[in-house]
């Protein structure tokens, strides 16, 4: 029903910025909550941030004040603006969508993108 494609990843030095995009196709609904997750090698996938249908946002403590999630319903795209990047932010970043999920749980999302690599060097 919904396909998600992430883009915008790359390599950046510590303190730099990146903006990730998550483009939705199929039949995206404004009722979906869109979340960002990340997974580093050998680690569990963890919640980063999310935006719901009312544009309320939620963030993991590790990224509060540095990352911003937003959505553009005209473009069917969600964004993750990442500032003041740290080496520990290095991971594959995924966007996901679900209808009224518990926003911070991976198991609550029905649709997932393939991920985009973010590498932050010291």
């Amino acid at each position: 029903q919904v396909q998600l494609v992430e883009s915008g990843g790359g390599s950046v030095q510590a303190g730099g910025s990146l903006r990730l995009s998550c483009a939705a196709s199929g039949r995206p609904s404004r009722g979906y909550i869109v979340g960002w997750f990340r997974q580093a090698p050998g680690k569990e996938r963890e919640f980063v941030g999310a935006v719901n249908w009312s544009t309320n946002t939620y963030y993991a403590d590790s990224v509060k004040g540095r990352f911003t999630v937003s959505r553009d319903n005209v473009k069917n795209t969600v964004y993750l603006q990442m500032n003041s990047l740290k080496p520990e932010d290095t991971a594959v970043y995924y966007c996901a969508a679900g209808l009224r999920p518990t926003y911070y749980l991976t198991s609550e999302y029905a649709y997932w993108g393939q991920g985009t690599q973010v590498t932050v060097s010291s």
Side-chain angles (χ1 to χ4, degrees), residues 37-46 90-94 117:
F37 295 80
R38 65 187 183 186
Q39 187 167 24
K43 296 185 178 181
E44 296 293 320
R45 189 170 299 183
E46 65 175 349
T90 296
V92 176
Y93 283 71
Y94 301 87
Q117 177 71 46

Side-chain angles (χ1 to χ4, degrees), residues 78-97:
V78 298
Y79 302 96
L80 179 65
Q81 178 67 47
M82 305 184 293
N83 299 324
S84 301
L85 283 162
K86 304 174 181 179
E88 52 263 44
D89 295 319
T90 296
V92 176
Y93 283 71
Y94 301 87
C95 64

Side-chain angles (χ1 to χ4, degrees), residues 6-26:
E6 302 94 339
S7 63
S11 298
V12 65
Q13 292 186 332
S17 299
L18 285 172
R19 188 179 76 162
L20 306 183
S21 298
C22 175
S25 61

Side-chain angles (χ1 to χ4, degrees), residues 60-81:
D61 288 340
S62 60
V63 305
K64 285 181 180 178
R66 299 189 298 122
F67 291 10
T68 303
V69 179
S70 61
R71 66 190 301 167
D72 185 333
N73 290 325
V74 174
K75 297 181 179 179
N76 290 325
T77 301
V78 298
Y79 302 96
L80 179 65
Q81 178 67 47

